[in-house]
């Protein structure tokens, strides 16, 4: 097995996300790898002040919805000892932005949760499924047990 140097955890703020985060953290510890986290906003409007997809975690936007999302990401960052410079908050389509960050930051393993979708749901394409098919690096889809969601 290759030695991972930079692991990217994709967090969707769902209840079952902790199990995925624990796995990513354990792998980062095992491989002494850098751990980064990413969350992509696809369900709140972008304030006028923002034109790009990358959101600053250190500047206050004045937008309560956006600040709440930042706070959620930073709580996870604190919980798993991820430096603020390795926390990514973006606007856009999750499957695309996660891949973009992974490529830009030279990530060698992306860790996502799988909701255990089968058959047609997979063909229709979930975030996890799309990342599995398009990432240039390894992808770990952490199977979430029934009852976790
Ligand atoms: P899905 O394929 O949409 O059921 O989501 C499976 C996994 O994709 C989640 O457990 C996360 O790891 C990741 N994911 C989904 N949506 C997002 C998002 N908006 N931002 C970051 N990661 C996400």
């Amino acid at each position: 097995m290759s030695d991972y140097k930079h692991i990217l955890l994709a967090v969707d703020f769902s209840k079952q996300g902790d199990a995925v985060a624990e796995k990513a953290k354990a792998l980062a510890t095992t491989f002494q790898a850098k751990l980064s986290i990413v969350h992509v906003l696809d369900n709140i409007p972008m304030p006028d002040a923002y034109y790009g997809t990358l959101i600053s975690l250190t500047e206050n936007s004045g937008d309560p919805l956006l600040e709440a999302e930042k706070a959620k990401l930073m709580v996870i960052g604190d919980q798993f000892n991820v430096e603020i410079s390795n926390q990514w908050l973006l606007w856009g389509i999750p499957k695309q932005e996660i891949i973009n960050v992974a490529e830009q930051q030279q990530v060698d393993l992306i860790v996502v949760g799988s909701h255990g979708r089968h058959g047609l749901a997979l063909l229709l394409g979930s975030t996890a499924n799309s990342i599995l098919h398009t990432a240039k690096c390894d992808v770990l889809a952490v199977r979430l047990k029934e009852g976790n969601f």
Side-chain angles (χ1 to χ4, degrees):
M1 188 158 65
S2 56
D3 243 12
Y4 295 114
K5 293 185 172 57
H6 191 180
I7 297 173
L8 178 67
L9 163 68
V11 294
D12 61 1
F13 300 151
S14 62
K15 191 162 61 89
Q16 65 273 23
D18 268 4
V20 184
E22 301 281 0
K23 191 73 67 113
K25 179 69 185 173
L27 283 167
T29 304
T30 301
F31 289 106
Q32 296 185 319
K34 179 160 110 179
L35 179 63
S36 293
I37 56 176
V38 59
H39 177 72
V40 183
L41 296 167
D42 58 350
N43 58 357
I44 69 165
M46 184 189 289
D48 291 343
Y50 276 97
Y51 299 106
T53 58
L54 180 63
I55 298 160
S56 165
L57 288 170
T58 50
E59 285 166 37
N60 191 317
S61 67
D63 180 301
L65 276 178
L66 181 52
E67 292 308 308
E69 296 297 307
K70 283 185 192 178
K72 283 195 241 171
L73 186 65
M74 288 195 269
V75 165
I76 296 173
D78 274 359
Q79 197 180 340
F80 294 96
N81 280 328
V82 179
E83 286 174 31
I84 192 116
S85 56
N86 298 331
Q87 299 179 22
W88 301 94
L89 186 62
L90 299 130
W91 249 298
I93 301 166
K95 59 189 180 189
Q96 286 176 2
E97 296 303 329
I98 293 166
I99 293 285
N100 287 345
V101 170
E103 287 176 10
Q104 282 160 14
Q105 298 304 314
Q106 297 172 323
V107 161
D108 44 23
L109 177 68
I110 303 172
V111 179
V112 293
S114 160
H115 287 188
R117 293 174 177 166
H118 299 287
L120 269 184
L122 277 181
L123 286 178
L124 292 172
S126 65
T127 303
N129 188 44
S130 173
I131 290 170
L132 276 165
H133 284 94
T134 52
K136 293 184 184 142
C137 64
D138 288 359
V139 179
L140 172 66
V142 178
R143 177 69 67 197
L144 296 162
K145 294 190 189 84
E146 264 181 61
N148 277 4
F149 51 93

